[in-house]
Amino acid sequence: MSSVFEDGRITAMLGPTNTGKTYFAIERMLAHASGMIGFPLRLLARENYERIVALKGKNAVALITGEEKILPPYARYFVCTVESMPVDRVVDFLAIDEIQLCGDRERGHVFTDRLLHARGRQETMFLGSDTIRPLIRKLVPKAEIVGRQRLSRLTYTGPRKLTRLPRRTAIVAFSAADVYVLAEIIRRQRGGAAVVLGALSPRARNAQVAMYQEGEVDYLIATDAIGMGLNMDVDHVAFAEDMKFDGRAPRRLTPPEMAQIAGRAGRHMNDGTFGVTGDCPPFDEEMVEALESHRFDPLRHVYWRNHRMSFRSLGDLKRSLEFHSDQPHMIRKRDGEDHRTLEALSRMEPVVERATGTDRVKLLWDICQIPDFRKTMTESHANLLSKIYFDLTEGPERLATDWVANQVNRFDRADGDIDTLVNRIAHIRTWTYITHRGDWVSDPVHWQAQTRAVEDRLSDALHDKLTQRFVDKRAALFMRKLKDGGNLAAAVKPDSTVVVEGHAVGHMEGLKFVPDVVDSANAKPVLTAARKVLPEELARRTGQIEAADNAAFSIGPKGTVIWLGAEIASLEAGADILSPQIRVVNEELIDGEMRKRIETRLRTWLTGEMEDRLGPLLAVKAAELEGAARGIGFQVLEGIGGVSADQIGGLRRDLDDEQRKSLARLGIRFGTETVFLPVLLKPKAVEFRAMLWSVFSGQYPEGGPPPAGRVMITRAEDATDAFYLAIGYKRVGGHAVRADMLERVAQMVRQAAREGAFAISADMLSLAGVGHEAMAEILKDLGYRRGEDVEEQPRFIARRRQEQKRRPEGERKAEKDGKAERGSKSEQDGKPERGNRPGKAAQDGSGEKRDRKGGQKGGPRKPKRHGDGPKRDDRPKVISSNGPAMRPEDSPFAILQQLKLAK
């Protein structure tokens, strides 16, 4: 074309960003009857196409990119990407934007070709950076160079933290992973950010930019994709990195590249700023001076490739690509994507066999132009292109419709994460490009529409995914309204959701406000607005609590008080174990009067719970007891209805008949192992006893109380003896056994021990619900030891008189700390209680067990008196001839023999 239009005017309009070059070029084009303009990005082409359509109408404007062609029959103006420009079409005006990309390693040869050969009939215009001025003078000597000054100032502001960047900031990184990390931080701190990556489809990128432009978010996280003329209202550009991977190796950005990106700050007459953030080091003075003054070293060379390629043979095509320029400042493009694709296909023998003749070689080169939008150049891409070549060189010379449909349908899925959608879009963009070659597919219009529809669906899904991940729309709305100086309206919905400006910001749990907004910069004003409506809501809920019946409240974990499924108070240790204190949740908005009203209502409820669950125990507390009975009643109260028999041994012996009856009337049962109230062994009472003990002691065993109805459980490591006694259980062996069941087991064992050494029976195991080993451990704690085995069956006998009955460690510790009663007569003289000696037991009217001689089992024996003399127990013991006849097995000789066997 250069030889045809030698007399046309050529202008190079050069200058920094924000000089109005593109706007001026479009005005010049529309002043001609026809025109064509090439942009470096499909996104820019689409943006300016829509602008020109708004001025001239759809029928007058065409859009031509690699993946999109809109060609009205009588189009006069053509908006294209540089690679897709139909340079053989004659137009009056022709322009190339960002002409300094002649120096780009990847695409420079295409821009250089347009610089040298693309011309308008009447006017040609090149737009770009001033760095290409010397080379334009050499390559296009007749070009008139016009300088343009930036419309606004660009100022360096130094480093800033991410959280302190101003609104309307574009933050720049150079990898998708880094962009995502930065976007996540901004979402948490500032409500959200738009994301612009080179890997995004134009539709998804447009949607993200529109979200930023319309003020839905105030931050944009982008790669250097924003440097190529995207027109956005950016006030500040912050570099999070100054290194990028250019396809070969990581390298530092050049000052012109920095300027291209930093120049996005400021628009029209609005000044802009730039700086660094994150881990990016501050710019040195030389870099700052260059960016602020827009003075950079000129380009020393451009990339070039021979445009007179020969297609007579595959070898000729390769040789023409290797041709060097005779100009020293034009470097041959060596490894273009299309060139590498040609080399890969040339290594396939079936391809080489078909690449004969000009038409087939030209077709092979056209197929090599199919872009791999994944930028991977994997073997799969080469295989796809070889398949296309085979189909186009045999039979109908069209791609099979079924195969095309299958390929397109593979990617028509909108599920998956961001990376999955990006990958599918890359695949479908390749097919969009293929279907725009009308001579390659049957019914190209249909397939162009199909691929575009799939790409649009994927792009919309990607935009939604990006927005969901990196934008908190609620927070962004609050920030906009606060920025505009407005007040935020708040309310509490019937379902307890707290809303501000129609968006949920938290919810009420009982008397507490639980916010959802806790980690962003706008959290404070939002929560302030929410809290304005809370006092009225809390007053309403206080009235509901006062009016609620007792069934509306319950005990939750660790002594919490639950109302409507939420904690409203907690129980804390009081003066004694039966008098816990009530503390309303620490909600600063509950005033003193409301707190007092709530506490009063909960105290009434708790009193009712105590009476319902522990009524018999409260009767003990209120009873008028005297002497030893009073002491036992006190210990039963401290134990919340249960106490080890060993702890009250002395008091028990001191009971007289009347005191014993008074305790029996209160429901207190004396066993050989425990003293307890049977009625408090019901699950409802056990659960409440466990709670009272934990609140008072501050200990909350992990397993809590046993499941309802369980009479024996494996004892928990973190549960003490005191805990089990407080809930009506006692630890024996490796188990905790409910008091009434423990007494039944102990009675069965005593009956077996009457005849001497005994074996564990099936009845014992059935009653206890344990195996032999566990039963053996229980017997040890019940005061029995293993004797000599008989027929390989272990036998057990009562311990010798001088042996102390082994008590669980917790009880021994309690005794050591002074919590258990000491000093019983039998302990002082080193003898066990008679109640611990095996013998037949009977039940008297009070429910207490007595031994075969009528004495109270496990309790004090009523002494026989002889006049006014001392108790018989204080005299030397004699065998009375008036007593019942001694059985042979009870004779001293039989006992001595048993002791020998035990050894």
Side-chain angles (χ1 to χ4, degrees):
M1 294 179 67
S2 59
S3 61
V4 178
F5 308 127
E6 291 181 355
D7 295 332
R9 179 185 179 187
I10 301 176
T11 304
M13 183 171 290
L14 307 178
T17 56
N18 193 29
T19 58
K21 299 186 296 292
T22 303
Y23 183 81
F24 179 80
I26 292 175
E27 280 193 327
R28 290 296 306 154
M29 182 179 72
L30 298 182
H32 291 274
S34 63
M36 181 185 303
I37 185 167
F39 292 99
L41 298 175
R42 175 185 170 189
L43 181 65
L44 278 175
R46 182 77 193 197
E47 177 183 316
N48 286 287
Y49 163 77
E50 291 174 352
R51 181 190 303 176
I52 298 170
V53 164
L55 297 172
K56 296 294 184 177
K58 285 187 176 183
N59 292 331
V61 188
L63 174 67
I64 305 176
T65 69
E67 306 156 60
E68 190 173 14
K69 287 182 175 64
I70 302 175
L71 289 169
Y74 303 103
R76 295 186 292 128
Y77 304 104
F78 295 81
V79 182
C80 317
T81 53
V82 173
E83 285 86 347
S84 301
M85 294 175 69
V87 291
D88 56 346
R89 181 180 288 270
V90 177
V91 291
D92 292 336
F93 174 92
L94 185 142
I96 306 294
D97 193 20
E98 305 293 355
I99 194 63
Q100 78 279 357
L101 288 178
C102 289
D104 181 72
R105 183 188 299 272
E106 294 299 321
R107 304 171 63 200
H109 63 285
V110 179
F111 284 78
T112 300
D113 179 79
R114 304 296 184 260
L115 177 68
L116 295 175
H117 307 296
R119 295 291 183 270
R121 182 165 44 198
Q122 298 178 14
E123 183 175 1
T124 301
M125 184 173 289
F126 301 112
L127 317 171
S129 169
D130 201 60
T131 57
I132 199 172
R133 179 190 294 259
L135 291 177
I136 287 183
R137 289 191 184 279
K138 292 178 181 179
L139 298 173
V140 191
K142 65 175 294 184
E144 176 188 356
I145 297 179
V146 177
R148 299 276 291 193
Q149 298 298 316
R150 185 176 168 88
L151 298 176
S152 60
R153 294 177 54 195
L154 191 62
T155 307
Y156 178 64
T157 59
R160 293 188 184 183
K161 293 182 179 179
L162 272 173
T163 55
R164 295 187 178 275
L165 291 173
R167 293 185 173 90
R168 313 310 293 171
T169 289
I171 305 169
V172 182
F174 297 99
S175 72
D178 291 337
V179 167
Y180 294 159
V181 169
L182 292 168
E184 185 66 36
I185 294 172
I186 295 299
R187 186 195 69 80
R188 293 198 304 265
Q189 297 293 334
R190 296 300 182 90
V195 172
V196 172
L197 302 168
L200 299 186
S201 65
R203 184 182 178 94
R205 200 183 318 174
N206 280 343
Q208 289 288 302
V209 170
M211 186 169 60
Y212 172 81
Q213 284 294 96
E214 292 168 7
E216 292 183 36
V217 293
D218 281 324
Y219 297 88
L220 179 73
I221 317 297
T223 61
D224 52 349
I226 68 167
M228 290 298 168
L230 291 183
N231 295 313
M232 296 171 293
D233 296 323
V234 176
D235 294 335
H236 181 77
V237 171
F239 289 86
E241 301 173 9
D242 61 356
M243 300 282 292
K244 69 175 288 186
F245 182 79
D246 64 359
R248 296 170 177 265
R251 66 171 177 83
R252 196 172 300 279
L253 270 70
T254 64
E257 289 172 327
M258 287 282 198
Q260 192 73 25
I261 299 170
R264 295 302 104 198
R267 193 171 183 189
H268 302 305
M269 303 303 294
N270 296 326
D271 293 340
T273 59
F274 67 97
V276 298
T277 190
D279 296 329
C280 185
F283 295 161
D284 57 35
E285 292 184 4
E286 185 178 351
M287 175 71 80
V288 172
E289 170 64 23
L291 267 62
E292 289 184 340
S293 62
H294 318 294
R295 289 196 292 269
F296 309 101
D297 294 337
L299 287 174
R300 299 179 182 274
H301 57 263
V302 296
Y303 286 90
W304 170 90
R305 186 162 71 185
N306 178 23
H307 77 292
R308 293 190 178 94
M309 288 181 286
S310 173
F311 299 108
R312 289 179 300 180
S313 69
L314 186 57
D316 284 350
L317 174 59
K318 289 184 176 182
R319 282 188 290 274
S320 64
L321 288 170
E322 299 292 335
F323 191 80
H324 287 265
S325 171
D326 56 0
Q327 299 287 337
H329 42 267
M330 292 197 298
I331 299 176
R332 180 177 67 87
K333 173 62 178 174
R334 297 177 181 272
D335 56 354
E337 183 179 323
D338 49 5
H339 194 172
R340 284 181 288 150
T341 302
L342 179 64
E343 293 294 336
L345 293 177
S346 297
R347 291 191 290 270
M348 299 180 179
E349 190 64 29
V351 172
V352 175
E353 291 175 356
R354 292 178 180 238
T356 57
T358 301
D359 291 341
R360 287 197 172 186
V361 174
K362 178 67 169 62
L363 175 62
L364 181 61
W365 180 242
D366 288 342
I367 289 174
C368 290
Q369 308 304 307
I370 298 174
D372 178 13
F373 288 102
R374 293 170 296 165
K375 303 300 181 185
T376 58
M377 274 306 295
T378 59
E379 185 178 347
S380 64
H381 185 65
N383 290 337
L384 172 66
L385 301 191
S386 67
K387 163 68 173 168
I388 293 173
Y389 186 61
F390 293 154
D391 284 1
L392 295 179
T393 53
E394 65 182 12
E397 297 185 349
R398 291 284 190 276
L399 299 180
T401 300
D402 290 344
W403 182 66
V404 173
N406 181 59
Q407 294 295 311
V408 172
N409 291 336
R410 283 174 56 199
F411 309 111
D412 191 9
R413 292 177 52 194
D415 59 325
D417 58 15
I418 290 174
D419 291 336
T420 300
L421 292 171
V422 166
N423 189 48
R424 288 190 193 131
I425 288 174
H427 279 289
I428 204 65
R429 287 179 72 186
T430 298
W431 278 100
T432 301
Y433 182 96
I434 293 169
T435 57
H436 275 82
R437 291 300 302 259
D439 53 342
W440 288 2
V441 295
S442 301
D443 194 1
V445 174
H446 165 76
W447 288 115
Q448 289 165 16
Q450 284 289 96
T451 55
R452 174 49 47 82
V454 172
E455 183 179 333
D456 287 349
R457 283 192 290 272
L458 291 172
S459 298
D460 292 342
L462 177 59
H463 172 64
D464 290 341
K465 288 285 185 182
L466 290 169
T467 304
Q468 289 170 13
R469 180 171 174 182
F470 299 124
V471 178
D472 183 345
K473 289 189 175 181
R474 175 189 61 187
L477 170 67
F478 298 157
M479 293 181 71
R480 286 202 306 275
K481 186 148 189 177
L482 290 170
K483 181 175 63 176
D484 297 338
N487 294 320
L488 300 177
V492 181
K493 298 174 68 177
D495 63 355
S496 298
T497 302
V498 180
V499 295
V500 174
E501 294 294 330
H503 290 268
V505 299
H507 60 281
M508 294 293 295
E509 288 185 1
L511 300 173
K512 292 189 296 185
F513 170 54
V514 181
D516 295 335
V517 183
V518 294
D519 58 357
S520 62
N522 66 314
K524 185 175 181 180
V526 171
L527 298 182
T528 299
R531 289 192 173 101
K532 289 180 180 179
V533 300
L534 296 184
E536 181 180 350
E537 176 66 14
L538 289 171
R540 187 180 70 82
R541 294 190 173 217
T542 298
Q544 288 181 326
I545 290 173
E546 287 183 309
D549 57 23
N550 285 349
F553 307 102
S554 61
I555 301 291
K558 297 192 175 182
T560 55
V561 181
I562 307 299
W563 173 68
L564 297 181
E567 174 188 344
I568 61 170
S570 60
L571 301 182
E572 298 182 355
D576 58 64
I577 202 165
L578 295 178
S579 304
Q581 297 296 309
I582 296 174
R583 182 178 297 276
V584 177
V585 292
N586 187 26
E587 172 56 62
E588 65 272 16
L589 297 178
I590 299 178
D591 60 31
E593 180 185 353
M594 284 192 292
R595 190 179 302 275
K596 185 176 180 180
R597 289 164 57 192
I598 294 169
E599 288 176 351
T600 299
R601 176 64 187 94
L602 294 182
R603 171 59 59 190
T604 302
W605 160 76
L606 184 60
T607 300
E609 286 292 291
M610 294 277 286
E611 292 174 351
D612 181 50
R613 301 186 186 218
L614 303 180
L617 189 62
L618 297 180
V620 174
K621 184 176 183 179
E624 298 287 341
L625 299 175
E626 297 181 353
R630 183 177 181 182
I632 291 174
F634 177 78
Q635 293 216 33
V636 169
L637 288 172
E638 280 199 327
I640 328 178
V643 64
S644 175
D646 292 341
Q647 289 181 242
I648 60 168
L651 290 170
R652 187 172 179 176
R653 282 187 293 272
D654 291 340
L655 286 172
D656 59 26
D657 289 341
E658 187 57 36
Q659 292 171 352
R660 197 183 320 276
K661 291 178 181 179
S662 62
L663 292 175
R665 284 192 293 269
L666 292 171
I668 297 177
R669 176 179 170 184
F670 290 88
T672 58
E673 304 300 323
T674 56
V675 176
F676 61 98
L677 282 84
V679 71
L680 297 187
L681 299 179
K682 296 178 180 179
K684 187 169 67 171
V686 169
E687 180 183 17
F688 201 76
R689 293 166 72 183
M691 181 275 297
L692 290 175
W693 184 89
S694 292
V695 167
F696 190 73
S697 66
Q699 303 174 43
Y700 293 86
E702 185 175 349
R710 291 284 296 276
V711 297
M712 178 179 293
I713 59 170
T714 301
R715 62 188 186 185
E717 293 297 328
D718 64 336
T720 63
D721 292 354
F723 169 73
Y724 283 119
L725 283 169
I727 63 174
Y729 287 67
K730 187 171 182 180
R731 285 171 52 155
V732 287
H735 295 75
V737 186
R738 202 172 69 187
D740 56 345
M741 180 57 67
L742 180 61
E743 297 302 331
R744 291 179 61 189
V745 172
Q747 180 182 8
M748 179 177 287
V749 172
R750 286 197 305 274
Q751 290 174 348
R754 289 176 185 164
E755 306 299 328
F758 63 94
I760 296 175
S761 67
D763 290 342
M764 293 180 190
L765 298 178
S766 176
L767 183 61
V770 296
H772 280 81
E773 292 184 6
M775 189 65 200
E777 291 297 316
I778 291 175
L779 290 175
K780 288 180 183 179
D781 281 346
L782 289 178
Y784 299 88
R785 64 183 177 84
R786 186 166 176 170
E788 184 175 347
D789 292 355
V790 176
E791 297 179 355
E792 298 184 355
Q793 290 289 329
R795 294 292 190 269
F796 293 85
I797 60 175
R799 287 197 180 91
R800 297 187 182 95
R801 289 177 178 270
Q802 62 268 27
E803 292 184 62
Q804 288 290 329
K805 178 179 177 181
R806 186 167 75 89
R807 280 179 279 175
E809 181 180 352
E811 293 183 12
R812 295 198 298 272
K813 184 176 184 302
E815 184 179 39
K816 182 178 179 180
D817 293 341
K819 295 180 180 178
E821 288 293 332
R822 296 202 227 177
S824 67
K825 189 175 184 303
S826 61
E827 291 172 329
Q828 292 171 358
D829 59 16
K831 298 179 182 179
E833 295 182 51
R834 294 191 58 159
N836 288 337
R837 187 175 68 187
K840 197 177 275 186
Q843 190 91 16
D844 65 8
S846 65
E848 299 168 359
K849 293 186 177 179
R850 297 180 176 275
D851 63 16
R852 62 195 297 266
K853 295 185 179 181
Q856 181 180 326
K857 185 63 178 173
R861 295 175 60 84
K862 187 174 180 179
K864 295 182 180 180
R865 297 185 178 276
H866 298 268
D868 295 330
K871 295 180 181 179
R872 187 172 181 82
D873 288 343
D874 295 333
R875 299 181 180 181
K877 291 187 177 180
V878 298
I879 298 176
S880 171
S881 59
N882 296 326
M886 180 181 296
R887 298 183 303 171
E889 60 269 26
D890 292 338
S891 68
F893 300 100
I895 294 173
L896 180 61
Q897 183 64 24
Q898 290 179 21
L899 294 176
K900 288 180 180 181
L901 291 174
K903 293 179 179 179

